[in-house]
Amino acid sequence: MRIYDPYAKCGVILAGWFTGGLILNMLLSTLFPDGSEDISEFIYVTVVAVCIYGLTRIFRAEGETPAPRPWWQMTGRPTAAFILALYFLAGFLVPAAVFIGLLLTGSLLNSLLSNFNGWNLAKAVIYIALGTLYYFTWWKLRKNNPRVETHS
């Protein structure tokens, strides 16, 4: 199954976000009671990252073939890949800043042992991985499909 229509893509993302996110949040809040929000947030971010990668195998740009994409290709358009790379690479800054702040203040070990704030580093790695995949997609698509200049 391949989805080409932008409205259908948006519908799938919103439906998954609301229903899947709601179910996952309820499940995680049941499995991890108070005091372990970081673990459940890490699991949530990991599941979302896997879903994002899975959807990149289904979604197609207009005019793109239904053949399977290479493992590295996250989208069919270089501009979309670049914008999403910026989004995910910027998204890692918050968990990385928290981790670095804990490291610099010397409370990293205490924080890791008491409330698992160290998962922020793992969340940063997930965002870096997604951002890097989107950046690599932009780089490869731009390299393989140079813009055609038109003169009028």
Side-chain angles (χ1 to χ4, degrees):
M1 177 174 81
R2 304 288 186 237
I3 301 174
Y4 291 89
D5 183 46
Y7 297 112
K9 292 177 190 177
C10 186
V12 167
I13 291 170
L14 289 175
W17 194 352
F18 289 125
T19 59
L22 181 65
I23 292 168
L24 184 59
N25 274 331
M26 289 181 352
L27 178 66
L28 290 173
S29 65
T30 303
L31 292 174
F32 299 101
D34 295 336
S36 57
E37 297 92 18
D38 288 331
I39 295 173
S40 61
E41 186 177 347
F42 170 73
I43 293 170
Y44 185 84
V45 169
T46 304
V47 169
V48 168
V50 169
C51 290
I52 288 171
Y53 188 78
L55 288 176
T56 64
R57 308 296 98 200
I58 297 170
F59 290 173
R60 291 291 188 264
E62 186 177 317
E64 192 176 350
T65 66
R69 286 178 171 167
W71 67 267
W72 53 265
Q73 189 173 355
M74 299 291 280
T75 185
R77 301 281 184 251
T79 305
F82 185 75
I83 291 169
L84 288 165
L86 288 177
Y87 172 79
F88 284 110
L89 290 174
F92 94 91
L93 291 176
V94 172
V98 169
F99 180 79
I100 290 169
L102 291 171
L103 188 64
L104 293 177
T105 59
S107 61
L108 179 62
L109 183 59
N110 186 29
S111 181
L112 282 171
L113 295 174
S114 64
N115 62 6
F116 296 99
N117 275 334
W119 288 115
N120 287 313
L121 178 63
K123 291 186 290 186
V125 169
I126 291 169
Y127 278 100
I128 289 171
L130 285 171
T132 303
L133 278 171
Y134 275 109
Y135 179 80
F136 189 67
T137 298
W138 168 76
W139 184 73
K140 290 281 281 187
L141 290 178
R142 191 163 178 247
K143 182 180 174 186
N144 292 340
N145 300 322
R147 267 185 267 195
V148 178
E149 293 183 23
T150 57
H151 302 284
S152 46

